[in-house]
Amino acid sequence: MLSRPEILLQVAEIKAMTPRVSAYRLVSPHGERLPAWSAGAHLNFRLPSGRARCYSLCGDSASSAEYWVAVQREEHGEGGSLEVAETFARGVVVRADPPRNGFPLAADAKHQVLIAGGIGITPIVAMIHHLRRSKATYAVHVCARSLKEVAFRDLIQAEVAAGRAALHLDGNDPARRPDLAAMIGAPTDGTHVYACGPAGLLKAFARATESWPRERVHVEGFAPEARQSEGDRPFDVTIASTGKTIHVPAGTTLLAALKAAGHDIATSCRQGICGSCMVPYSDGEPDHRDQALSDDERREFLTVCCSRARSPGLTLDL
Ligand code: FES
């Protein structure tokens, strides 16, 4: 069976980016090179409490000596960001899965339009570092309530000064929300568009890109749950170790059905991005809906937060 390797990272530096966002520089505790990654990738951290949380890498992917992640404190979230703030002290060693990328830049793009909302700026920052070295042209749009809430302000303001970025500050006034359709424009050959941010921004982005070819529209969000779609069919899963069968109705995620039956599966993104919830299966045909697993991994695992079954039944090796 494929293993799930883990890497150890030492917190080398902490920087306050905004009143709520801190950036962490992470290095190998043994001074080794870190696994390679590409812009748009994230790390899935295994926190001391047992929670898993994924955060986009926001440094320069050309460096194999360090990773950067930035985390926004969510006082009313599920506790992951607060745990990071409390436990990621300088010198502390933390555990993570190796980087995965479900939001990569298109290698063949001639022009890239990058839209960031709030803390969704993190993968966009890594993309900017990469694109500064590339031949493709790019335009960045950063949406935030106020300048003081813009993380990586120096980098973004340098991009604004260079004519490659625009800041859209709405003061939290819905009437001043930016016009995404105007930012994006009509589809042109070789242009790819990307958005990362909260659900409201992604909804507006989906409307603004309705006429775009799907393969040129790229999204990463942080919605609380993976969406199920209307055409979903019910199916049954059998738990290999007990022989017990669990019914998964249409409109219910496999994760929710497993949880209701007493199976506690570690999750992080719950959107098929991080791979935290991968579970081995041995029978049946999964309907893989994640962006996390490789083709090899999909032969043995499925992500239960978002994936379903094409076959009437599926056996999980739990
Ligand atoms: S929890 Fe992230 S892929 Fe399922």
Side-chain angles (χ1 to χ4, degrees):
M1 195 166 88
L2 291 165
S3 61
R4 303 179 67 184
E6 212 175 59
I7 52 176
L8 296 179
L9 297 166
Q10 187 163 35
V11 179
E13 185 181 351
I14 305 171
K15 271 190 192 172
M17 308 297 289
T18 76
R20 290 172 61 208
V21 176
S22 294
Y24 300 86
R25 183 163 70 87
L26 305 165
V27 299
S28 159
H30 312 296
E32 292 163 354
R33 291 164 69 91
L34 296 173
W37 61 285
S38 55
H42 64 268
L43 281 178
N44 187 44
F45 290 94
R46 307 280 167 178
L47 301 181
S49 65
R51 288 184 182 102
R53 284 293 178 274
C54 62
Y55 298 106
S56 294
L57 285 158
C58 53
D60 186 343
S61 57
S63 169
S64 59
E66 62 184 30
Y67 293 151
W68 281 92
V69 293
V71 180
Q72 176 165 285
R73 286 177 68 98
E74 302 292 353
E75 300 296 339
H76 304 292
E78 294 178 7
S81 65
L82 298 183
E83 185 174 349
V84 169
E86 280 158 19
T87 59
F88 280 32
R90 208 167 153 205
V92 163
V93 174
V94 298
R95 297 182 304 135
D97 299 336
R100 283 177 181 275
N101 199 343
F103 187 49
L105 284 165
D108 60 347
K110 295 195 181 86
H111 182 66
Q112 322 251 22
V113 179
L114 316 176
I115 298 178
I119 192 62
I121 198 166
T122 50
I124 303 297
V125 165
M127 290 174 170
I128 292 171
H129 285 302
H130 175 86
L131 290 170
R132 280 176 161 183
R133 289 189 298 274
S134 102
K135 289 203 176 79
T137 55
Y138 63 95
V140 183
H141 295 275
V142 176
C143 308
R145 292 176 185 173
S146 66
L147 190 58
K148 80 170 197 281
E149 289 173 79
V150 176
F152 303 95
R153 214 160 34 237
D154 292 349
L155 175 88
I156 298 304
Q157 287 184 317
E159 290 294 306
V160 171
R164 295 186 295 252
L167 271 166
H168 306 272
L169 307 175
D170 66 14
N172 205 22
D173 176 356
R176 289 169 54 201
R177 294 272 189 269
D179 179 354
L180 266 61
M183 280 179 204
I184 294 165
T188 52
D189 272 357
T191 298
H192 284 244
V193 288
Y194 304 77
C196 183
L201 178 117
L202 297 188
K203 221 165 145 186
F205 181 73
R207 278 196 303 272
T209 54
E210 264 166 5
S211 63
W212 280 69
R214 290 298 89 195
E215 67 278 10
R216 290 201 266 132
V217 176
H218 312 268
V219 174
E220 182 155 273
F222 23 90
E225 292 282 345
R227 278 187 299 276
Q228 303 291 290
S229 54
E230 283 190 4
D232 289 344
R233 286 200 298 262
F235 60 100
D236 292 322
V237 289
T238 303
I239 305 300
S241 61
T242 60
K244 187 177 166 188
T245 298
I246 299 167
H247 183 63
V248 186
T252 297
T253 63
L254 173 52
L255 175 67
L258 287 169
K259 196 168 175 196
H263 294 275
D264 204 10
I265 310 285
T267 60
S268 180
C269 70
R270 296 188 213 159
Q271 300 175 79
I273 295 170
C274 69
S276 298
C277 65
M278 62 200 261
V279 165
Y281 68 93
S282 55
D283 205 11
E285 187 190 355
D287 177 4
H288 294 287
R289 297 183 178 182
D290 62 281
Q291 304 166 42
L293 304 188
S294 65
D295 289 346
D296 275 353
E297 288 171 326
R298 285 181 171 194
R299 282 184 210 111
E300 293 187 40
F301 295 93
L302 82 163
T303 53
V304 299
C305 68
C306 61
S307 297
R308 301 183 65 83
R310 288 189 205 287
S311 47
L314 201 60
T315 300
L316 299 183
D317 289 336
L318 287 173

